[in-house]
Structures are given as structure tokens and as C-alpha cells.
Amino acid sequence: MKESDFAEQRKRLVREIVAGGSLKSENVKRAFLSVPREKFFPKEIAAHAYSDDAFPIGLRQTISQPSTIAVMLEMLQAREGQKVLEVGSGSGYVAALLSEIAGKNGAVFGIELLHELHERAAGTIAELGYENVFLRCGDGRTGWKEEAPFDRILVSAATGEAPKQLAKQLAEGGRLVVPVGNILSQEMVLIEKEKGKAVEKERRCCFVFVPLR
Ligand code: SAH
């Protein structure tokens, strides 16, 4: 498929997600319109990059469904100039979206547990020239202490309960979005740091993520 065909499909997908009600903010829309999702796909299935579904990216992991990512990003409300952490950066696609939102005065830090996925994501991010994205391989449950505090933290894998260690790395007024639940279904939970405390603000049902391990 040609680049221009992908660009057309990207617009159609954004229209679809907007119509579905999950995508509202201009900065999130712009991010979806500029990041080439096909580049984060294994070549054999790149033609499917603009259907609103999760797809396998190898090692039994998936690139999340665009409308689900839209819900997470709307809850996260990341802004230009912010420092953002993503736990479970997988293919790097969501990190790229966050890179567009945070802009050149902001920065995105992504942690991925599986070495092979980390390597591939780092290659894609470098190839596409996202200079404000920093990726590392490791266990993201303990966050990224050297870079804390973060204005925003997004967890892209499911967990049994809201991760306390990550909440500690939130800046005052910062937001953390995390899918919390069991293996079959999770709620998207928004936590805000208020006067030094992690306070739950919102929950939305229902999503299915691969587990945080
Ligand atoms: N945001 C990703 C979606 C990846 S799916 C994308 O845009 O492609 C969730 C990812 O979390 C998987 O790649 C999985 O390997 C990773 N993961 C699971 N447990 C983790 C942990 N403890 N630390 C870091 N990454 C983890």
C-alpha cells in the first residue's frame, strides 16, 4: 500500500473514533493524524493498521486498539511541554502519540519488559525521528526513578490494583491512567496527585489488556 493510501485511511479511522465518541481533544486528534501506525506493525499485517482493532506484535503481545488508546489519552489529558512515562511501551506506537502531544519541550519515557519488542520499538522510533522519546528495557512496575517526577503516567498493561510505586513518581497535580481488573476485563482508572496523595477520580468500563507481569 502507498503512503498516501495510509494517510487516507488514517483520516478515516480518526473520523470513525470521533464519531464513536472516544476522541474529542484537538491535540489527541492531531497526534492520531500524524503518527503512521503501519510502521509499528509487523510488515505482513501492516495493511490492517487502520482497522480499529488490537493486533499481535509478536511474543504474545498486542498493539492496543486505537479507540481504547483514545479513551486512555482523553483521560490522561497530556499537554505540550510535559514529562510523560509509559509503562508497557510495546511497539512504541502510544509513545509516538505521546511524543506528538508533549512536543519538543516535553519528553516521553517508555519502559518495555520484553527485549525483542523494546529493540524493535527503539528502531521504529529512531527511524521516524521522534527525538523526545526515550525507551528502556526492564520492569516498569517500579517506574523510572532517575526521571521522576512525571506529569503523566500511562500504564498500557492490565494490573490487579493501582500501582502505588508508580503513583509515588507523579508530580503534584499529575495524572496516572491504568487498566485495573482481572485477566478477562479491566476498568480504566484515573488517579490524580493532590496534596501529595494519590486520589482516584474516575473509572470507565470495560477493556481487555495483556497483563502487566
Ligand atoms: N502501548 C503498546 C501496547 C503494548 S501491550 C503499543 O503501543 O504497542 C503491553 C506491553 O506491556 C507488552 O508489550 C508487554 O510486554 C509489556 N509489559 C508487561 N509487563 C510489563 C512490565 N512489568 N514492565 C514493562 N512492560 C511490561
Side-chain angles (χ1 to χ4, degrees), residues 11-212:
K11 284 188 207 153
R12 182 195 38 75
L13 176 63
V14 168
R15 278 199 299 273
E16 221 173 274
I17 307 174
V18 168
S22 324
L23 182 52
K24 298 189 176 84
S25 306
E26 284 308 318
N27 61 346
V28 181
K29 276 187 221 167
R30 273 200 303 276
F32 272 107
L33 286 172
S34 47
V35 178
R37 190 170 187 247
E38 72 276 10
K39 304 277 196 219
F40 297 84
F41 267 53
K43 283 216 170 51
E44 319 80 72
I45 57 169
H48 300 292
Y50 295 100
S51 60
D52 187 20
D53 281 304
F55 280 94
I57 50 174
L59 305 169
R60 294 170 52 217
Q61 304 306 316
T62 52
I63 181 166
S64 313
Q65 182 173 358
S67 53
T68 298
I69 299 172
V71 171
M72 300 181 96
L73 294 180
E74 290 289 350
M75 288 174 82
L76 194 67
Q77 285 185 24
R79 298 276 173 267
E80 152 86 47
Q82 289 185 331
K83 203 166 178 182
V84 186
L85 174 69
E86 188 197 10
V87 173
S89 40
S91 69
Y93 176 62
V94 170
L97 293 170
L98 290 167
S99 159
E100 293 284 351
I101 294 169
K104 61 178 187 316
N105 298 316
V108 179
F109 297 84
I111 311 177
E112 169 54 46
L113 186 67
L114 301 175
H115 186 73
E116 194 179 321
L117 293 184
H118 161 73
E119 289 285 300
R120 215 189 301 153
T124 313
I125 288 288
E127 180 195 332
L128 294 174
Y130 291 108
E131 288 178 354
N132 61 349
V133 176
F134 305 91
L135 300 175
R136 114 175 166 192
C137 183
D139 182 359
R141 287 174 304 176
T142 51
W144 193 322
K145 289 199 187 70
E146 300 79 5
E147 292 295 341
F150 297 96
D151 302 302
R152 299 290 186 264
I153 300 177
L154 180 64
V155 182
S156 289
T159 155
E161 55 182 299
K164 292 203 178 58
Q165 298 220 49
L166 290 178
K168 281 194 188 134
Q169 295 185 13
L170 266 187
E172 183 60 28
R175 290 176 157 236
L176 162 69
V177 171
V178 51
V180 177
N182 58 35
I183 189 110
L184 295 175
S185 165
Q186 302 98 39
E187 291 179 299
M188 204 73 84
V189 177
L190 167 66
I191 288 164
E192 254 184 66
K193 191 72 154 275
E194 280 181 354
K195 301 196 181 95
K197 285 213 179 79
V199 182
E200 187 180 312
K201 292 285 176 169
E202 194 185 347
R203 270 179 186 255
R204 290 201 207 172
C205 206
C206 294
F207 303 91
V208 186
F209 281 80
V210 297
L212 191 68

